[in-house]
Amino acid sequence: MLKIISANVNGIRSAYKKGFHEYIAASGADIVCVQELKAQEPDLSDDMKNPHGMYGVWHCAEKRGYSGVAIYSKQRPDNVQIGMGIEEFDSEGRFVRADFGKLSVISLYLPSGTSAPERQELKYRFLDAFYPMLAEMKAEGRDIVVCGDWNIAHQNIDLKNWKGNQKNSGFLPEERAWIGKVIADLGWVDMWRKLYPEVPGYTWWSNRGQAYAKDVGWRIDYHMVTPDLAAKAVQAHVYKDEKFSDHAPLVVEYDYSI
């Protein structure tokens, strides 16, 4: 069995203070994809680089205390790709890929457009650039999972207050249509929705009000998976026993070995 976790930690140092390091060990995960490190490489302790002896690869943002992604794995990758090859996005530390035999795992942090119109425009540029990359990866014929914070809720079931968010970044018609094409046209499988068609599966809650307590959430963290690997998914859950950040880890188990 292969257990893969995706977790936006909203600051790796903050999450470690809240028990994320211990959670990695207790989870029994084979691979952990982390987003929003909010740290430069010199800021990362040995435990943050290689937790519990796992092999770590990371892509930090140039801006201090911002963005950044990582992959931790029990097995050393055969090959690693740091970044997308597009400076505008790579400077923000949004993509890292690790290959293990026929399996490829990607930790992705797709831009948010909530802070300013300029950031929404950057988000659209990212979508335009990432779509052909997803098509190329799908065409590789490998087993691939793109884990991470996609910052888009696809359908009404994916956020509690969908009626009130139709004009807000993360649930705009153009964004929802884009992720719909990734699934319908490119053939990627939204693993949670495939396993649990009727379960919301929220993974992020606003810090405003009592969103977490009242479970007024969004499902914006995904395992987006190639079909052959998706067919091997056994079960999934959103881990809420502890709170490491404003996101909760998404855990998927596959009947698969590397």
Side-chain angles (χ1 to χ4, degrees), residues 138 187-189 225-232:
K138 177 75 165 26
W188 288 84
V189 179
V225 186
T226 49
D228 286 353
L229 178 59
K232 296 178 172 66

Coordinates of all heavy atoms in Angstrom, one line a residue, residues 138 187-189 225-232:
K138 N 0.5 14.0 -18.8 CA -0.5 12.9 -19.1 C 0.0 12.0 -20.2 O -0.2 10.8 -20.2 CB -1.9 13.5 -19.4 CG -3.0 12.5 -19.7 CD -3.5 11.8 -18.5 CE -4.8 11.1 -18.8 NZ -5.1 10.7 -20.1
G187 N -8.3 14.2 -19.0 CA -8.5 12.9 -18.5 C -7.8 12.7 -17.1 O -7.7 11.5 -16.7
W188 N -7.5 13.8 -16.4 CA -7.0 13.6 -15.1 C -8.2 13.3 -14.1 O -9.3 13.7 -14.4 CB -6.3 14.9 -14.6 CG -5.0 15.1 -15.2 CD1 -4.7 15.7 -16.4 CD2 -3.7 14.7 -14.7 NE1 -3.4 15.7 -16.7 CE2 -2.7 15.1 -15.7 CE3 -3.3 14.1 -13.6 CZ2 -1.4 14.9 -15.5 CZ3 -1.9 13.9 -13.4 CH2 -1.0 14.3 -14.3
V189 N -7.9 12.6 -13.1 CA -8.9 12.1 -12.1 C -8.8 12.9 -10.8 O -7.7 12.9 -10.2 CB -8.9 10.6 -11.9 CG1 -9.9 10.2 -10.9 CG2 -9.0 9.8 -13.2
V225 N -4.9 12.8 -10.5 CA -4.2 11.5 -10.7 C -4.5 11.0 -12.1 O -5.6 11.1 -12.7 CB -4.7 10.5 -9.7 CG1 -3.9 9.2 -9.8 CG2 -4.6 11.1 -8.3
T226 N -3.5 10.4 -12.7 CA -3.7 9.7 -14.0 C -4.5 8.5 -13.8 O -4.5 7.9 -12.8 CB -2.3 9.3 -14.6 OG1 -1.5 8.6 -13.7 CG2 -1.5 10.5 -15.1
P227 N -5.3 8.1 -14.9 CA -6.3 7.0 -14.7 C -5.9 5.7 -14.1 O -6.5 5.1 -13.3 CB -6.9 6.9 -16.1 CG -6.7 8.2 -16.7 CD -5.4 8.7 -16.2
D228 N -4.7 5.2 -14.6 CA -4.3 3.9 -14.2 C -4.0 3.9 -12.7 O -4.3 2.9 -12.0 CB -3.0 3.4 -14.9 CG -3.4 3.0 -16.4 OD1 -4.6 2.9 -16.7 OD2 -2.5 2.7 -17.2
L229 N -3.4 4.9 -12.2 CA -3.1 5.1 -10.8 C -4.4 5.3 -10.0 O -4.5 4.7 -8.9 CB -2.1 6.2 -10.5 CG -1.7 6.4 -9.1 CD1 -1.1 5.2 -8.4 CD2 -0.7 7.6 -9.0
A230 N -5.2 6.1 -10.5 CA -6.5 6.4 -9.9 C -7.3 5.1 -9.6 O -8.0 5.0 -8.6 CB -7.3 7.4 -10.7
A231 N -7.2 4.2 -10.6 CA -7.9 2.9 -10.4 C -7.4 2.1 -9.2 O -8.1 1.2 -8.8 CB -7.8 2.1 -11.7
K232 N -6.2 2.4 -8.7 CA -5.6 1.7 -7.6 C -5.9 2.4 -6.3 O -5.4 1.9 -5.2 CB -4.2 1.5 -7.8 CG -3.8 0.6 -9.1 CD -2.3 0.5 -9.3 CE -2.0 -0.5 -10.4 NZ -2.4 -0.1 -11.7

